[in-house]
Amino acid sequence: MARPLRILLDLTPLDTPSGPRGIGRYIRELALGLSELRSGELEGLEIIGLTSLGWTGTCETTRDIGSYRGGPRSIAPTEMDSYYWAYRQRVALWRAAQRVGANAVHICDPHATPLFLGLAGCRKIVTCHDLVPTRFPDHYFGVRDGGAVVGKRIERRRYRSADLVVAISDATRDDVVSLLGVPANRVVRVHNGIDVAWWAAPPTLDVETTLDRFGLRGRDYVLYVGGSDWRKNTPGMMAALARARAGGIDLRLAWAGHLQAGHIEAVEGEARRCGVFEALVRVGYVTDDELRILYRGARAHLLVSRCEGFGLT
């Protein structure tokens, strides 16, 4: 009997700043969904989660991919964790794939391109969440990325070298084909998975107590969940809040999500410029149960991005 094809699902980004963001959400929901497939739906496939990667290719794996939520670094990852992760991916992932006998590696966070996977006889599946940096290189490719020209070339190589690109929306799929020249037969669109039943269920926390803790009890507020990079359009959010309040609506903006120190200063500075600093409520990173309460209590969900591949907030 032939051995099933072994797929190595890379879970290591959960220990980087991608963990508490949209990419981390994508990885956890994907792993959960795969773990819940019936055995017949995975016939001929064996999925193993990569949870740790060393510089020489030493690694730790798990077959219980659905319950893995990250290691020690997932609690408070730093930007340096991103760089170390990316360097290890480039130079060591092929050795880990070789050690576990993987036929293919699924790279869910594409921000590093592993080298030498061909030496391990291993194919590469890469998820593309969006091509915002390629569309707006001056805002996203800095000196560390080689600038706009080199950065765009790296992006092109990243996806054109993949055996299969998983695009999370029709818009992203079309960008991969038209902007990067990846053959259409190597790109498949698979929408982001969401556990709708979980989000639809009543919160387990006390609603009033939770809102009171965030300073939102009895307040009208709109909710934004995410980061503050250029595409998220912080000026647009603050200008909209200022316009609503100028129209006589006592409205607040609840901002959920972890922000680095420099980003906090930029967001608060924009709020001051628009005269709405007192109406900005930064609640920080919240649990999923807290997030359920925040969504249910909001007057609206605010998402005025300049560009999104999907917009998983």
Short mmCIF file of all heavy atoms in Angstrom, two decimals, residues 202-259:
data_model
loop_
_atom_site.label_atom_id
_atom_site.label_comp_id
_atom_site.label_asym_id
_atom_site.label_seq_id
_atom_site.Cartn_x
_atom_site.Cartn_y
_atom_site.Cartn_z
N PRO A 202 -24.04 32.88 21.56
CA PRO A 202 -23.99 33.96 22.57
C PRO A 202 -22.63 33.97 23.28
O PRO A 202 -22.04 32.91 23.52
CB PRO A 202 -25.11 33.59 23.55
CG PRO A 202 -26.02 32.70 22.78
CD PRO A 202 -25.14 31.94 21.83
N PRO A 203 -22.11 35.14 23.62
CA PRO A 203 -20.84 35.22 24.37
C PRO A 203 -20.94 34.54 25.71
O PRO A 203 -22.01 34.48 26.32
CB PRO A 203 -20.63 36.74 24.52
CG PRO A 203 -21.50 37.37 23.49
CD PRO A 203 -22.68 36.46 23.33
N THR A 204 -19.83 34.02 26.16
CA THR A 204 -19.81 33.38 27.48
C THR A 204 -19.49 34.39 28.58
O THR A 204 -19.70 34.12 29.76
CB THR A 204 -18.77 32.25 27.52
OG1 THR A 204 -17.47 32.80 27.23
CG2 THR A 204 -19.10 31.18 26.49
N LEU A 205 -18.97 35.57 28.22
CA LEU A 205 -18.66 36.61 29.19
C LEU A 205 -19.89 37.48 29.44
O LEU A 205 -20.81 37.54 28.61
CB LEU A 205 -17.51 37.48 28.68
CG LEU A 205 -16.17 36.80 28.41
CD1 LEU A 205 -15.19 37.80 27.80
CD2 LEU A 205 -15.59 36.22 29.69
N ASP A 206 -19.89 38.16 30.55
CA ASP A 206 -20.97 39.10 30.84
C ASP A 206 -20.79 40.33 29.96
O ASP A 206 -19.74 40.99 29.98
CB ASP A 206 -20.95 39.50 32.32
CG ASP A 206 -22.09 40.44 32.66
OD1 ASP A 206 -23.23 39.98 32.76
OD2 ASP A 206 -21.81 41.66 32.79
N VAL A 207 -21.83 40.66 29.20
CA VAL A 207 -21.75 41.73 28.21
C VAL A 207 -21.51 43.08 28.87
O VAL A 207 -20.58 43.82 28.49
CB VAL A 207 -23.03 41.77 27.35
CG1 VAL A 207 -23.01 42.98 26.42
CG2 VAL A 207 -23.16 40.48 26.54
N GLU A 208 -22.32 43.44 29.86
CA GLU A 208 -22.22 44.77 30.47
C GLU A 208 -20.88 44.96 31.18
O GLU A 208 -20.27 46.02 31.10
CB GLU A 208 -23.38 44.98 31.45
CG GLU A 208 -24.75 44.98 30.79
CD GLU A 208 -24.88 46.06 29.73
OE1 GLU A 208 -24.37 47.18 29.95
OE2 GLU A 208 -25.47 45.79 28.66
N THR A 209 -20.43 43.91 31.85
CA THR A 209 -19.14 44.00 32.56
C THR A 209 -18.00 44.21 31.57
O THR A 209 -17.08 45.01 31.81
CB THR A 209 -18.90 42.72 33.38
OG1 THR A 209 -19.95 42.57 34.33
CG2 THR A 209 -17.57 42.80 34.11
N THR A 210 -18.06 43.49 30.46
CA THR A 210 -17.00 43.60 29.46
C THR A 210 -16.98 44.98 28.84
O THR A 210 -15.91 45.61 28.70
CB THR A 210 -17.19 42.53 28.37
OG1 THR A 210 -17.19 41.22 28.98
CG2 THR A 210 -16.09 42.60 27.33
N LEU A 211 -18.14 45.48 28.44
CA LEU A 211 -18.20 46.82 27.84
C LEU A 211 -17.78 47.89 28.85
O LEU A 211 -17.11 48.87 28.48
CB LEU A 211 -19.61 47.10 27.33
CG LEU A 211 -20.07 46.29 26.12
CD1 LEU A 211 -21.52 46.60 25.78
CD2 LEU A 211 -19.17 46.57 24.91
N ASP A 212 -18.12 47.70 30.11
CA ASP A 212 -17.72 48.66 31.15
C ASP A 212 -16.21 48.68 31.31
O ASP A 212 -15.61 49.74 31.48
CB ASP A 212 -18.40 48.26 32.46
CG ASP A 212 -18.19 49.31 33.54
OD1 ASP A 212 -18.50 50.49 33.29
OD2 ASP A 212 -17.70 48.96 34.63
N ARG A 213 -15.60 47.51 31.22
CA ARG A 213 -14.14 47.43 31.35
C ARG A 213 -13.44 48.20 30.22
O ARG A 213 -12.36 48.75 30.42
CB ARG A 213 -13.72 45.96 31.35
CG ARG A 213 -12.24 45.71 31.48
CD ARG A 213 -11.96 44.33 32.04
NE ARG A 213 -12.81 43.31 31.44
CZ ARG A 213 -12.53 42.69 30.30
NH1 ARG A 213 -11.42 42.99 29.65
NH2 ARG A 213 -13.34 41.75 29.83
N PHE A 214 -14.05 48.22 29.05
CA PHE A 214 -13.46 48.93 27.91
C PHE A 214 -13.92 50.39 27.85
O PHE A 214 -13.55 51.11 26.92
CB PHE A 214 -13.84 48.23 26.60
CG PHE A 214 -13.20 46.89 26.43
CD1 PHE A 214 -13.94 45.80 25.96
CD2 PHE A 214 -11.86 46.69 26.73
CE1 PHE A 214 -13.35 44.56 25.79
CE2 PHE A 214 -11.27 45.45 26.57
CZ PHE A 214 -12.01 44.38 26.10
N GLY A 215 -14.72 50.82 28.80
CA GLY A 215 -15.22 52.20 28.79
C GLY A 215 -16.26 52.46 27.73
O GLY A 215 -16.43 53.60 27.28
N LEU A 216 -17.00 51.43 27.33
CA LEU A 216 -17.96 51.56 26.23
C LEU A 216 -19.40 51.30 26.67
O LEU A 216 -20.32 51.40 25.85
CB LEU A 216 -17.59 50.59 25.10
CG LEU A 216 -16.26 50.86 24.41
CD1 LEU A 216 -15.90 49.69 23.48
CD2 LEU A 216 -16.32 52.16 23.62
N ARG A 217 -19.60 50.98 27.91
CA ARG A 217 -20.96 50.68 28.38
C ARG A 217 -21.84 51.93 28.28
O ARG A 217 -21.48 53.02 28.74
CB ARG A 217 -20.91 50.20 29.83
CG ARG A 217 -22.26 49.78 30.38
CD ARG A 217 -22.11 49.23 31.78
NE ARG A 217 -23.38 48.78 32.34
CZ ARG A 217 -23.52 48.22 33.53
NH1 ARG A 217 -22.44 48.03 34.29
NH2 ARG A 217 -24.70 47.84 33.97
N GLY A 218 -22.98 51.77 27.62
CA GLY A 218 -23.89 52.89 27.44
C GLY A 218 -23.45 53.90 26.40
O GLY A 218 -24.06 54.97 26.29
N ARG A 219 -22.41 53.59 25.66
CA ARG A 219 -21.88 54.51 24.64
C ARG A 219 -22.23 54.02 23.23
O ARG A 219 -22.30 52.81 22.99
CB ARG A 219 -20.36 54.61 24.73
CG ARG A 219 -19.83 55.00 26.11
CD ARG A 219 -20.00 56.47 26.36
NE ARG A 219 -19.29 56.90 27.55
CZ ARG A 219 -19.26 58.16 27.98
NH1 ARG A 219 -19.90 59.10 27.32
NH2 ARG A 219 -18.61 58.48 29.09
N ASP A 220 -22.45 54.96 22.32
CA ASP A 220 -22.56 54.61 20.90
C ASP A 220 -21.15 54.58 20.32
O ASP A 220 -20.38 55.56 20.48
CB ASP A 220 -23.40 55.65 20.15
CG ASP A 220 -24.89 55.49 20.41
OD1 ASP A 220 -25.30 54.37 20.78
OD2 ASP A 220 -25.63 56.47 20.25
N TYR A 221 -20.80 53.49 19.66
CA TYR A 221 -19.47 53.40 19.09
C TYR A 221 -19.48 52.61 17.78
O TYR A 221 -20.37 51.78 17.54
CB TYR A 221 -18.49 52.75 20.08
CG TYR A 221 -18.76 51.29 20.39
CD1 TYR A 221 -18.14 50.27 19.66
CD2 TYR A 221 -19.63 50.92 21.42
CE1 TYR A 221 -18.38 48.93 19.95
CE2 TYR A 221 -19.87 49.59 21.71
CZ TYR A 221 -19.24 48.60 20.97
OH TYR A 221 -19.47 47.27 21.25
N VAL A 222 -18.49 52.91 16.96
CA VAL A 222 -18.21 52.07 15.79
C VAL A 222 -16.94 51.29 16.10
O VAL A 222 -16.11 51.74 16.90
CB VAL A 222 -18.03 52.91 14.49
CG1 VAL A 222 -19.34 53.56 14.10
CG2 VAL A 222 -16.93 53.94 14.66
N LEU A 223 -16.80 50.13 15.49
CA LEU A 223 -15.70 49.24 15.82
C LEU A 223 -14.80 49.02 14.62
O LEU A 223 -15.27 48.71 13.52
CB LEU A 223 -16.25 47.88 16.28
CG LEU A 223 -15.23 46.78 16.58
CD1 LEU A 223 -14.38 47.15 17.80
CD2 LEU A 223 -15.93 45.44 16.81
N TYR A 224 -13.50 49.20 14.85
CA TYR A 224 -12.50 48.81 13.85
C TYR A 224 -11.59 47.78 14.49
O TYR A 224 -11.16 47.93 15.64
CB TYR A 224 -11.68 50.01 13.38
CG TYR A 224 -10.47 49.58 12.57
CD1 TYR A 224 -10.63 49.04 11.29
CD2 TYR A 224 -9.18 49.67 13.09
CE1 TYR A 224 -9.54 48.60 10.56
CE2 TYR A 224 -8.09 49.24 12.37
CZ TYR A 224 -8.27 48.70 11.11
OH TYR A 224 -7.19 48.25 10.39
N VAL A 225 -11.26 46.73 13.74
CA VAL A 225 -10.40 45.65 14.23
C VAL A 225 -9.25 45.48 13.26
O VAL A 225 -9.46 45.13 12.09
CB VAL A 225 -11.19 44.32 14.34
CG1 VAL A 225 -10.31 43.24 14.95
CG2 VAL A 225 -12.46 44.51 15.16
N GLY A 226 -8.01 45.74 13.70
CA GLY A 226 -6.89 45.52 12.80
C GLY A 226 -5.72 46.44 13.08
O GLY A 226 -5.62 47.10 14.13
N GLY A 227 -4.81 46.50 12.10
CA GLY A 227 -3.59 47.29 12.22
C GLY A 227 -3.77 48.69 11.68
O GLY A 227 -4.89 49.15 11.41
N SER A 228 -2.64 49.39 11.51
CA SER A 228 -2.70 50.80 11.12
C SER A 228 -1.76 51.13 9.97
O SER A 228 -1.35 52.28 9.82
CB SER A 228 -2.37 51.69 12.32
OG SER A 228 -1.03 51.44 12.76
N ASP A 229 -1.41 50.11 9.16
CA ASP A 229 -0.54 50.43 8.03
C ASP A 229 -1.29 51.29 7.01
O ASP A 229 -2.51 51.48 7.11
CB ASP A 229 0.02 49.15 7.39
CG ASP A 229 -1.07 48.25 6.85
OD1 ASP A 229 -1.70 47.53 7.64
OD2 ASP A 229 -1.29 48.27 5.64
N TRP A 230 -0.59 51.76 6.01
CA TRP A 230 -1.11 52.79 5.10
C TRP A 230 -2.46 52.43 4.48
O TRP A 230 -3.37 53.25 4.41
CB TRP A 230 -0.08 53.04 3.99
CG TRP A 230 -0.57 53.98 2.94
CD1 TRP A 230 -0.58 55.35 2.99
CD2 TRP A 230 -1.13 53.63 1.68
NE1 TRP A 230 -1.12 55.88 1.84
CE2 TRP A 230 -1.46 54.83 1.01
CE3 TRP A 230 -1.39 52.40 1.04
CZ2 TRP A 230 -2.04 54.84 -0.26
CZ3 TRP A 230 -1.95 52.42 -0.22
CH2 TRP A 230 -2.28 53.63 -0.86
N ARG A 231 -2.62 51.18 4.06
CA ARG A 231 -3.85 50.81 3.36
C ARG A 231 -5.07 50.86 4.26
O ARG A 231 -6.20 50.99 3.79
CB ARG A 231 -3.73 49.41 2.77
CG ARG A 231 -3.66 48.33 3.82
CD ARG A 231 -3.60 46.96 3.20
NE ARG A 231 -3.07 46.01 4.16
CZ ARG A 231 -3.46 44.75 4.24
NH1 ARG A 231 -4.38 44.30 3.42
NH2 ARG A 231 -2.93 43.95 5.12
N LYS A 232 -4.88 50.78 5.57
CA LYS A 232 -6.02 50.77 6.49
C LYS A 232 -6.69 52.14 6.60
O LYS A 232 -7.79 52.26 7.10
CB LYS A 232 -5.60 50.28 7.86
CG LYS A 232 -5.04 48.87 7.88
CD LYS A 232 -6.04 47.85 7.37
CE LYS A 232 -5.49 46.43 7.48
NZ LYS A 232 -6.46 45.42 6.99
N ASN A 233 -5.98 53.18 6.14
CA ASN A 233 -6.58 54.51 5.99
C ASN A 233 -7.02 55.12 7.33
O ASN A 233 -8.18 55.48 7.53
CB ASN A 233 -7.78 54.43 5.03
CG ASN A 233 -8.24 55.81 4.56
OD1 ASN A 233 -7.58 56.81 4.77
ND2 ASN A 233 -9.40 55.85 3.92
N THR A 234 -6.06 55.25 8.23
CA THR A 234 -6.35 55.90 9.51
C THR A 234 -6.88 57.32 9.33
O THR A 234 -7.85 57.70 10.02
CB THR A 234 -5.08 55.91 10.39
OG1 THR A 234 -4.67 54.56 10.64
CG2 THR A 234 -5.34 56.61 11.71
N PRO A 235 -6.33 58.14 8.42
CA PRO A 235 -6.91 59.48 8.22
C PRO A 235 -8.38 59.44 7.83
O PRO A 235 -9.18 60.27 8.29
CB PRO A 235 -6.04 60.07 7.09
CG PRO A 235 -4.74 59.36 7.20
CD PRO A 235 -5.10 57.96 7.60
N GLY A 236 -8.76 58.46 6.99
CA GLY A 236 -10.16 58.34 6.60
C GLY A 236 -11.05 57.99 7.77
O GLY A 236 -12.18 58.50 7.89
N MET A 237 -10.57 57.11 8.65
CA MET A 237 -11.35 56.74 9.82
C MET A 237 -11.56 57.93 10.75
O MET A 237 -12.68 58.18 11.22
CB MET A 237 -10.66 55.59 10.57
CG MET A 237 -10.80 54.24 9.90
SD MET A 237 -10.28 52.88 10.99
CE MET A 237 -8.54 52.77 10.57
N MET A 238 -10.49 58.67 11.01
CA MET A 238 -10.60 59.80 11.93
C MET A 238 -11.44 60.93 11.33
O MET A 238 -12.22 61.59 12.04
CB MET A 238 -9.21 60.30 12.31
CG MET A 238 -8.35 59.26 13.01
SD MET A 238 -9.18 58.56 14.48
CE MET A 238 -8.08 57.18 14.83
N ALA A 239 -11.31 61.14 10.03
CA ALA A 239 -12.12 62.18 9.38
C ALA A 239 -13.60 61.81 9.42
O ALA A 239 -14.47 62.68 9.62
CB ALA A 239 -11.66 62.37 7.94
N ALA A 240 -13.91 60.53 9.23
CA ALA A 240 -15.31 60.09 9.29
C ALA A 240 -15.88 60.27 10.69
O ALA A 240 -17.02 60.71 10.85
CB ALA A 240 -15.40 58.62 8.86
N LEU A 241 -15.07 59.92 11.69
CA LEU A 241 -15.51 60.09 13.08
C LEU A 241 -15.75 61.56 13.38
O LEU A 241 -16.76 61.93 14.01
CB LEU A 241 -14.47 59.51 14.03
CG LEU A 241 -14.77 59.59 15.52
CD1 LEU A 241 -16.04 58.82 15.86
CD2 LEU A 241 -13.59 59.05 16.33
N ALA A 242 -14.84 62.43 12.91
CA ALA A 242 -14.99 63.87 13.15
C ALA A 242 -16.26 64.40 12.48
O ALA A 242 -16.98 65.23 13.05
CB ALA A 242 -13.76 64.60 12.62
N ARG A 243 -16.54 63.92 11.27
CA ARG A 243 -17.74 64.38 10.56
C ARG A 243 -19.01 63.95 11.29
O ARG A 243 -19.97 64.73 11.40
CB ARG A 243 -17.73 63.81 9.14
CG ARG A 243 -18.89 64.28 8.29
CD ARG A 243 -18.71 63.84 6.86
NE ARG A 243 -19.84 64.26 6.04
CZ ARG A 243 -19.93 64.07 4.72
NH1 ARG A 243 -18.94 63.46 4.09
NH2 ARG A 243 -20.99 64.47 4.05
N ALA A 244 -19.03 62.71 11.78
CA ALA A 244 -20.21 62.23 12.50
C ALA A 244 -20.44 63.05 13.77
O ALA A 244 -21.57 63.44 14.08
CB ALA A 244 -20.05 60.75 12.85
N ARG A 245 -19.36 63.30 14.50
CA ARG A 245 -19.49 64.04 15.76
C ARG A 245 -19.87 65.50 15.49
O ARG A 245 -20.63 66.10 16.26
CB ARG A 245 -18.19 63.95 16.56
CG ARG A 245 -17.94 62.53 17.09
CD ARG A 245 -16.62 62.43 17.84
NE ARG A 245 -16.60 63.27 19.03
CZ ARG A 245 -17.12 62.92 20.20
NH1 ARG A 245 -17.72 61.75 20.34
NH2 ARG A 245 -17.04 63.74 21.24
N ALA A 246 -19.36 66.06 14.39
CA ALA A 246 -19.74 67.43 14.03
C ALA A 246 -21.22 67.52 13.69
O ALA A 246 -21.84 68.59 13.83
CB ALA A 246 -18.90 67.91 12.86
N GLY A 247 -21.79 66.38 13.26
CA GLY A 247 -23.21 66.35 12.93
C GLY A 247 -24.08 66.10 14.14
O GLY A 247 -25.30 65.90 14.00
N GLY A 248 -23.51 66.10 15.32
CA GLY A 248 -24.29 65.98 16.54
C GLY A 248 -24.41 64.57 17.09
O GLY A 248 -25.19 64.34 18.03
N ILE A 249 -23.65 63.60 16.54
CA ILE A 249 -23.71 62.23 17.02
C ILE A 249 -22.57 62.00 18.02
O ILE A 249 -21.39 62.14 17.66
CB ILE A 249 -23.58 61.22 15.86
CG1 ILE A 249 -24.65 61.49 14.80
CG2 ILE A 249 -23.71 59.79 16.37
CD1 ILE A 249 -24.49 60.64 13.55
N ASP A 250 -22.93 61.68 19.25
CA ASP A 250 -21.91 61.44 20.28
C ASP A 250 -21.35 60.02 20.09
O ASP A 250 -21.72 59.08 20.79
CB ASP A 250 -22.53 61.59 21.66
CG ASP A 250 -21.48 61.48 22.77
OD1 ASP A 250 -20.28 61.61 22.46
OD2 ASP A 250 -21.87 61.24 23.93
N LEU A 251 -20.46 59.90 19.14
CA LEU A 251 -19.97 58.59 18.69
C LEU A 251 -18.50 58.41 19.06
O LEU A 251 -17.72 59.37 19.02
CB LEU A 251 -20.13 58.49 17.16
CG LEU A 251 -19.99 57.12 16.51
CD1 LEU A 251 -21.13 56.20 16.93
CD2 LEU A 251 -19.99 57.27 14.98
N ARG A 252 -18.14 57.18 19.39
CA ARG A 252 -16.75 56.85 19.67
C ARG A 252 -16.24 55.81 18.68
O ARG A 252 -17.04 55.08 18.08
CB ARG A 252 -16.60 56.33 21.11
CG ARG A 252 -16.60 57.46 22.12
CD ARG A 252 -16.98 57.03 23.50
NE ARG A 252 -16.87 58.13 24.44
CZ ARG A 252 -17.71 59.16 24.50
NH1 ARG A 252 -18.75 59.23 23.67
NH2 ARG A 252 -17.55 60.13 25.39
N LEU A 253 -14.94 55.76 18.54
CA LEU A 253 -14.30 54.74 17.71
C LEU A 253 -13.54 53.79 18.62
O LEU A 253 -12.57 54.17 19.27
CB LEU A 253 -13.34 55.38 16.70
CG LEU A 253 -12.38 54.42 15.96
CD1 LEU A 253 -13.14 53.34 15.23
CD2 LEU A 253 -11.47 55.20 15.01
N ALA A 254 -14.02 52.54 18.69
CA ALA A 254 -13.32 51.50 19.45
C ALA A 254 -12.36 50.81 18.49
O ALA A 254 -12.79 50.23 17.50
CB ALA A 254 -14.31 50.52 20.03
N TRP A 255 -11.07 50.86 18.80
CA TRP A 255 -10.04 50.29 17.95
C TRP A 255 -9.48 49.06 18.65
O TRP A 255 -8.82 49.16 19.67
CB TRP A 255 -8.94 51.32 17.70
CG TRP A 255 -7.90 50.90 16.70
CD1 TRP A 255 -7.21 49.73 16.66
CD2 TRP A 255 -7.44 51.68 15.59
NE1 TRP A 255 -6.34 49.72 15.60
CE2 TRP A 255 -6.46 50.89 14.92
CE3 TRP A 255 -7.74 52.94 15.10
CZ2 TRP A 255 -5.78 51.37 13.78
CZ3 TRP A 255 -7.06 53.41 13.97
CH2 TRP A 255 -6.10 52.61 13.33
N ALA A 256 -9.77 47.88 18.11
CA ALA A 256 -9.29 46.63 18.69
C ALA A 256 -8.13 46.08 17.86
O ALA A 256 -8.18 46.09 16.63
CB ALA A 256 -10.41 45.59 18.75
N GLY A 257 -7.08 45.61 18.54
CA GLY A 257 -5.93 45.05 17.84
C GLY A 257 -4.64 45.56 18.45
O GLY A 257 -4.58 46.68 18.98
N HIS A 258 -3.61 44.74 18.36
CA HIS A 258 -2.30 45.11 18.91
C HIS A 258 -1.59 46.08 17.97
O HIS A 258 -1.51 45.85 16.77
CB HIS A 258 -1.45 43.86 19.10
CG HIS A 258 -0.05 44.15 19.56
ND1 HIS A 258 0.24 44.58 20.83
CD2 HIS A 258 1.13 44.09 18.90
CE1 HIS A 258 1.54 44.75 20.95
NE2 HIS A 258 2.11 44.47 19.80
N LEU A 259 -1.07 47.17 18.52
CA LEU A 259 -0.32 48.16 17.75
C LEU A 259 1.06 48.33 18.38
O LEU A 259 1.19 48.41 19.60
CB LEU A 259 -1.03 49.51 17.73
CG LEU A 259 -2.38 49.60 17.02
CD1 LEU A 259 -2.96 51.00 17.18
CD2 LEU A 259 -2.24 49.24 15.55
#
